[in-house]
Amino acid sequence: QVQLVESGGGSVQAGGSLRLSCETSGFTFGAFCLGWFRQAPGKEREGIAISNNAGVTTAYADSVKGRFTISRDAAKKMLYLQMNSLNPEDTGMYFCARARSSWACSVLSIASTFDYKGQGTQVTVAS
């Protein structure tokens, strides 16, 4: 069965860095667009980064552009999110997700058009 398992969250001070990992299984890794979205308490889900099936095309939300980097390792079937210059507004639960289809491979829609997601990993940034 399809599984996505996030890890790497934690608590950091503002300005710090974290690297999130998403271990995937149960599907052909190179056939799907993958991405990350987050949700803070009381706020809507926010798509933050996507990587197309080949890993050639990436896109980011304006709120994280220049600070976060999405990458994927096809051999390990892993998705990563390197997060630098973290600030308290980045606090939330972070989820990796598989886009339902190629048309759903968009940072604007990944948070609502995924067909599978992980359980999430918490990121807390203190000021």
Side-chain angles (χ1 to χ4, degrees), residues 9-125:
S11 297
V12 296
Q13 293 292 116
S17 299
L18 284 172
R19 187 195 194 205
L20 305 185
S21 298
C22 176
E23 181 178 359
T24 74
S25 61
F27 64 97
T28 302
F29 185 83
F32 288 89
C33 168
L34 300 171
W36 294 91
F37 68 89
R38 65 187 179 189
Q39 187 162 25
K43 294 186 177 180
E44 294 187 355
R45 291 173 177 171
E46 178 190 14
I48 53 177
I50 59 95
S51 172
N52 77 330
N53 62 313
V56 173
T57 300
T58 59
Y60 300 90
D62 288 344
S63 59
V64 306
K65 200 172 294 182
R67 300 187 297 124
F68 291 12
T69 303
I70 188 172
S71 62
R72 56 196 288 164
D73 185 328
K76 297 180 179 179
K77 299 184 179 180
M78 295 287 292
L79 182 73
Y80 303 101
L81 186 69
Q82 177 65 44
M83 307 188 295
N84 299 328
S85 302
L86 286 162
N87 58 61
E89 290 69 40
D90 295 316
T91 294
M93 188 70 78
Y94 283 68
F95 300 87
C96 69
R98 191 181 83 168
R100 188 176 303 163
S101 68
S102 58
W103 62 261
C105 190
S106 164
V107 70
L108 294 177
S109 65
I110 187 66
S112 59
T113 56
F114 63 88
D115 56 1
Y116 292 93
K117 68 173 182 65
Q119 82 289 348
T121 186
Q122 177 68 35
V123 172
T124 303
V125 185

